[in-house]
């Protein structure tokens, strides 16, 4: 089977959202060839709760900022970066980023649940929390060769389940509003050196739900006492759903905490260059490039060349056939331009890669592709940015796509 055909088959068999969200999601299994993406600008719903800081707290906070400044913020060690370095890169981060530590702690069924960190950059909500089973005396974590936590034994999750604690439904709530598991969300889980502890790091692409956060918000995660899903079947319990069919926030099984998303939306710079690059396989343009205090998001709009697709089918057949000779699917534009998109790397105007060790590719379809890169500090922002195909260490600027 051809490599691109295998990738397409794998993508079709992989759902956009995992059935059990807390299972480890590897970055490059997020490729969704069959994803239809609405390229139109959507109006985001701002979720807001009035501020709850007292005047005295605000004064202390202001003094702390003036004394410590952004250097102290950047020097803070963030576990989210340790777990999601493949997305976020290395520290330091912008002092504009909305990040908080130790937001909540409670004990349920002899399991101590701690919300360690939360962060929001205007698009993605990041949360790191832990389960610590108080009746366990041995750690679950193993150290990797580079001195980091790595992996988790399966019996750790079984032991957690025996406490009837853990993620039990694929929703969470912000200010009481139900959030589904958005496309391109994911998670990492690992044991630590603390006896009985499992560390969970999750990221939710709220922008793919057309949701934006501002100010102080209340977040409710279904990570407490596991509830029977039969109690939440819509046809049996319509009173637990609103008029739009969204599940109302349950009264049981949740761990809730407050997080200040601040005014981070004003710190996001969004460009819409829409400069077309025509290649033999596809016409591509960056429809949006968003630069947040934590990450860089680049969205491509693609239009496949019908002649290239016809030539591809002439050389490879109509599509993928199963062992019985039945056509499972016909080849489409993505089969033609996938390798070109996969070869693209973020470079400056001279063709120098900004993140040579970072795989920015995050998915591709017939009419869409996305790339994710770490934060680019203003002092390091080149005058020009391009996505260019690489031949070894050399960028082909003739088929590069203008980003900035």
């Amino acid at each position: 089977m051809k490599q691109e055909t295998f990738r397409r088959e794998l993508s079709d068999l992989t759902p956009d959202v995992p059935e059990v969200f807390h299972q480890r999601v590897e970055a490059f299994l997020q490729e969704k060839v069959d994803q239809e993406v609405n390229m139109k600008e959507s109006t985001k719903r701002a979720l807001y709760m009035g501020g709850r800081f007292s005047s005295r707290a605000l004064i202390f906070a202001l003094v702390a900022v003036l004394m410590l400044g952004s250097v102290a913020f950047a020097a803070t060690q963030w576990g989210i970066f340790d777990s999601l370095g493949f997305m976020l890169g290395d520290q330091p981060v912008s002092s504009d980023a909305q990040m908080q530590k130790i937001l909540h702690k409670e004990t349920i069924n002899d399991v101590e649940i701690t919300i360690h960190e939360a962060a929001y950059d205007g698009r993605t909500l990041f949360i790191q929390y832990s389960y610590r089973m108080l009746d366990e005396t041995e750690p679950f974590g193993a150290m990797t060769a580079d001195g980091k936590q790595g992996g988790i034994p399966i019996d750790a999750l079984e032991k957690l389940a025996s406490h009837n604690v853990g993620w039990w439904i694929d929703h969470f709530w912000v200010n009481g509003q139900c959030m589904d598991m958005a496309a391109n969300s994911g998670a990492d889980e690992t044991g630590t050196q603390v006896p009985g502890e499992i560390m969970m790091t999750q990221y939710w692409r709220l922008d793919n739900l057309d949701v934006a956060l501002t100010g102080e918000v209340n977040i409710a995660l279904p990570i407490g006492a596991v509830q029977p899903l039969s109690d939440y079947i819509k046809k049996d319990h319509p009173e637990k759903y609103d008029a739009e069919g969204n599940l109302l926030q349950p009264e049981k099984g949740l761990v809730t905490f407050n997080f200040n998303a601040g005014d981070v939306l004003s710190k996001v710079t969004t460009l819409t260059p829409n400069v077309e690059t025509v290649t033999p396989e596809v016409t591509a343009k960056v429809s949006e490039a968003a630069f947040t205090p934590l990450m860089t998001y680049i969205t491509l709009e693609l239009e496949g060349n019908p002649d290239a697709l016809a030539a591809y089918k002439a050389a490879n057949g109509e599509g993928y056939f199963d062992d019985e000779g039945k056509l499972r699917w016909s080849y489409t534009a993505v089969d033609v331009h996938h390798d070109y998109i996969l070869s693209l790397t973020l470079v400056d105007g001279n063709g120098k890669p900004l993140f040579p060790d970072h795989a920015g590719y995050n998915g591709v379809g017939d009419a869409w592709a996305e790339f994710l890169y770490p934060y680019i500090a203003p002092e390091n922002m080149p005058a020009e940015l391009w996505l260019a195909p690489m031949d070894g260490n050399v960028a082909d600027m003739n088929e590069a796509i203008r980003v900035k």
Side-chain angles (χ1 to χ4, degrees):
M1 182 184 298
K2 296 177 69 65
Q3 184 179 13
E4 61 267 31
T5 304
F6 172 77
R7 283 194 295 261
R8 180 173 174 79
E9 182 177 12
L10 178 61
S11 296
D12 284 353
L13 293 175
T14 304
D16 287 350
V17 179
E19 188 172 322
V20 182
F21 183 67
H22 67 253
Q23 292 179 345
R24 187 182 182 92
V25 179
E26 296 296 340
F28 45 100
L29 289 183
Q30 295 176 11
E31 177 185 337
K32 292 172 293 297
V33 174
D34 59 344
Q35 180 178 8
E36 291 294 329
V37 176
N38 182 0
M39 302 302 295
K40 296 180 181 179
E41 187 69 21
S42 298
T43 302
K44 297 183 182 295
R45 291 178 285 137
L47 303 172
Y48 176 75
M49 285 180 61
R52 296 182 177 176
F53 291 105
S54 66
S55 298
R56 183 179 181 185
L58 286 173
I59 292 173
F60 279 123
L62 177 60
V63 171
V65 169
L66 293 175
M67 291 179 61
L68 300 178
S70 61
V71 174
F73 180 91
T76 302
Q77 183 66 34
W78 295 95
I80 288 174
F81 278 76
D82 291 338
S83 296
L84 303 179
F86 67 90
M87 292 174 58
L88 295 169
D90 298 325
Q91 296 182 82
V93 300
S94 168
S95 58
D96 290 332
Q98 289 299 119
M99 303 186 72
Q100 292 176 243
K101 281 184 174 290
I102 309 298
L103 294 101
H104 182 79
K105 181 181 291 188
E106 66 179 274
T107 300
I108 301 172
N109 296 345
D110 213 25
V111 177
E112 182 182 81
I113 302 174
T114 303
I115 310 296
H116 290 275
E117 298 175 6
Y120 180 63
D121 70 344
R123 296 206 164 201
T124 304
L125 175 65
F126 304 86
I127 295 180
Q128 185 171 81
Y129 62 91
S130 67
Y131 302 104
R132 183 168 72 92
M133 289 165 263
L134 302 179
D135 54 352
E136 292 293 326
T137 59
E138 298 295 326
F140 296 129
M143 303 300 290
T144 61
D146 58 359
K148 296 182 179 180
Q149 302 285 348
I152 182 171
I154 187 65
D155 68 329
L157 299 176
E158 293 173 347
K159 290 178 178 179
L160 180 64
S162 71
H163 288 76
N164 200 45
V165 168
W167 190 283
W168 57 271
I169 195 169
D170 278 345
H171 304 283
F172 65 101
W173 290 262
V174 179
N175 291 346
Q177 296 185 25
C178 183
M179 303 287 130
D180 290 326
M181 293 296 102
N184 276 333
S185 300
D188 177 87
E189 60 190 18
T190 185
T192 76
Q193 294 305 298
V194 176
E197 185 176 67
I198 301 173
M199 189 68 67
M200 315 293 290
T201 309
Q202 299 174 348
Y203 55 97
W204 298 316
R205 287 289 300 272
L206 298 186
D207 59 321
N208 286 333
L209 297 176
D210 292 331
V211 170
L213 307 182
T214 184
E216 188 171 338
V217 297
N218 179 263
I219 298 173
L221 303 179
I223 60 174
V226 175
Q227 303 299 302
L229 291 179
S230 58
D231 289 351
Y232 296 91
I233 298 175
K234 185 182 297 186
K235 66 181 180 66
D236 296 332
H237 300 280
E239 75 283 358
K240 295 185 178 182
Y241 291 79
D242 63 19
E244 297 178 350
N246 300 311
L247 182 62
L248 298 173
Q249 183 170 316
E251 297 180 357
K252 300 178 180 180
L254 305 182
V255 172
T256 65
F257 61 96
N258 290 337
F259 169 68
N260 186 7
D263 187 28
V264 71
L265 298 176
S266 68
K267 311 297 175 54
V268 178
T269 299
T270 303
L271 305 178
T272 55
N274 286 310
V275 179
E276 290 188 345
T277 294
V278 180
T279 76
E281 300 89 5
V282 64
T283 297
K285 62 181 179 182
V286 173
S287 59
E288 183 181 82
F291 304 90
T292 81
L294 288 178
M295 291 183 64
T296 300
Y297 303 77
I298 302 173
T299 303
L300 300 185
E301 188 174 331
L302 308 173
E303 183 178 351
N305 182 344
D307 293 335
L309 177 57
Y312 186 89
K313 288 184 176 182
N316 299 283
E318 176 63 26
Y320 173 70
F321 292 83
D322 61 21
D323 293 339
E324 297 178 354
K326 182 180 179 180
L327 180 65
R328 295 290 301 277
W329 63 75
S330 296
Y331 293 131
T332 62
V334 69
D335 295 289
V336 181
H337 61 237
H338 182 277
D339 287 346
Y340 164 71
I341 298 298
L342 189 60
S343 73
L344 297 175
T345 295
L346 188 63
V347 301
D348 62 18
N350 297 317
K352 179 181 178 181
L354 269 70
F355 304 99
D357 299 322
H358 183 90
Y361 167 79
N362 193 52
V364 63
D366 286 338
W368 164 93
E370 183 179 69
F371 289 79
L372 302 178
Y373 288 97
Y375 163 72
I376 304 174
E379 62 271 20
N380 297 328
M381 179 68 74
E384 295 182 10
L385 283 177
W386 300 78
L387 283 172
M390 302 296 294
D391 183 6
N393 296 323
V394 180
D396 180 2
M397 301 303 290
N398 292 322
E399 292 193 348
I401 307 168
R402 188 69 179 256
V403 177
K404 172 182 177 288

